[in-house]
Amino acid sequence: MRKNSKAAIIDAAIYLFNTKGFNGTSVRDIAAKADVNAANISYYFRNKNGLLENCFTVFFESYLEELEKGFSLLECGAELCLNAMVDNVLRYQCQNSQLTRFILREMTIDSQVVREIMSTYHVKERYMFKKVLEAGMGNGEFKKHSIQFSILQLKGLLSMPFLNTHYVTEVLHVQPHEKYFADMLSYEISQWIKGTLCTDHQVQEKMLINI
């Protein structure tokens, strides 16, 4: 048995949930992959659903923590703050790509757990993005945009590579697990923020600074 059986169980579950699906994975499968007794899963998580809830909690607690680090910079400017939030989240997702892929895929299923996640973690996420966008529009950094649709576009940019891994690797020939991926995507989203959200005045000022 591995020294840290709880961590081994979580790692095994994430791998199997991604490859076989949640419904196609049994407790015995997870125990065998983790090289632990099935009783350990009952001890730590009660059952497979308890393990699923743990995966959600682990992912979103850390996800929100990364968002909050960037959000704390709001007084330094809305664009800088939003870029920091994006960069933090992207790097977290890249470092935990298997967990991210599984969680984002599960979030597309209408279930009681997903509804609870949306009423807690997603509401907090929306609050932070909304505050940053409102601040940017209020101080003239950002153009007047629909906040809901701006968040929708931003969420799409952050989640698409992890929800559609095979498309990204096989069609676009981009490797999300490589270090350069987070750097490049973070840069490209910062360009989207600059070109789509920022006022022409803000863009011109940045161009002058870079000359």
Side-chain angles (χ1 to χ4, degrees):
M1 186 181 297
R2 297 181 186 180
K3 185 177 181 180
N4 190 341
S5 58
K6 184 175 181 180
I9 291 168
I10 293 172
D11 289 344
I14 292 168
Y15 174 82
L16 291 171
F17 290 162
N18 267 319
T19 55
K20 300 178 66 174
F22 177 75
N23 291 329
T25 301
S26 69
V27 169
R28 287 185 178 182
D29 292 333
I30 297 168
K33 178 70 176 175
D35 191 23
V36 300
N37 190 294
N40 285 64
I41 296 175
S42 298
Y43 174 76
Y44 288 120
F45 308 105
R46 300 191 309 279
N47 51 38
K48 193 171 70 166
N49 286 328
L51 181 50
L52 174 64
E53 291 175 16
N54 179 267
C55 288
F56 273 117
T57 301
V58 167
F59 176 82
F60 280 108
E61 288 289 343
S62 297
Y63 179 91
L64 281 182
E65 184 179 329
E66 294 302 324
L67 272 184
E68 288 166 352
K69 288 177 186 176
F71 184 68
S72 68
L73 301 174
L74 184 54
E75 290 185 357
C76 300
E79 184 187 0
L80 183 148
C81 174
L82 190 56
N83 278 324
M85 292 169 74
V86 165
D87 189 68
N88 289 352
V89 164
L90 271 180
R91 294 187 189 284
Y92 169 71
Q93 292 184 162
C94 285
Q95 290 165 7
N96 301 275
S97 58
Q98 288 293 318
L99 177 60
T100 299
R101 181 186 177 194
F102 169 65
I103 293 297
L104 293 181
R105 192 171 63 212
E106 284 297 306
M107 289 301 297
T108 65
I109 300 171
D110 185 11
S111 68
Q112 184 62 36
V113 174
V114 168
R115 291 183 182 186
E116 290 173 1
I117 292 294
M118 286 187 174
S119 67
T120 52
Y121 297 111
H122 275 177
V123 168
K124 292 178 183 177
E125 177 196 55
R126 183 193 64 188
Y127 170 82
M128 285 185 275
F129 280 139
K130 185 171 181 284
K131 280 294 183 182
V132 175
L133 292 169
E134 286 177 341
M137 293 178 197
N139 66 19
E141 281 188 76
F142 294 159
K143 305 169 190 173
K144 298 296 182 182
H145 282 282
S146 163
I147 288 178
Q148 290 92 333
F149 280 90
S150 294
I151 294 174
L152 184 63
Q153 292 178 71
L154 186 57
K155 286 284 290 178
L157 291 168
L158 289 169
S159 63
M160 187 276 183
F162 303 95
L163 269 172
N164 301 277
T165 305
H166 291 305
Y167 177 82
V168 173
T169 56
E170 302 299 325
V171 179
L172 299 181
H173 303 296
V174 175
Q175 305 301 321
H177 62 278
E178 297 287 351
K179 181 184 180 300
Y180 76 88
F181 177 80
D183 297 333
M184 287 298 297
L185 188 55
S186 181
Y187 171 77
E188 292 298 332
I189 296 179
S190 74
Q191 294 303 297
W192 174 83
I193 291 170
K194 183 183 296 184
T196 303
L197 298 181
C198 289
T199 60
D200 293 337
H201 176 68
Q202 286 292 115
V203 174
Q204 289 171 2
E205 280 188 349
K206 288 195 172 294
M207 287 177 65
L208 290 172
I209 291 172
N210 291 330
I211 293 177

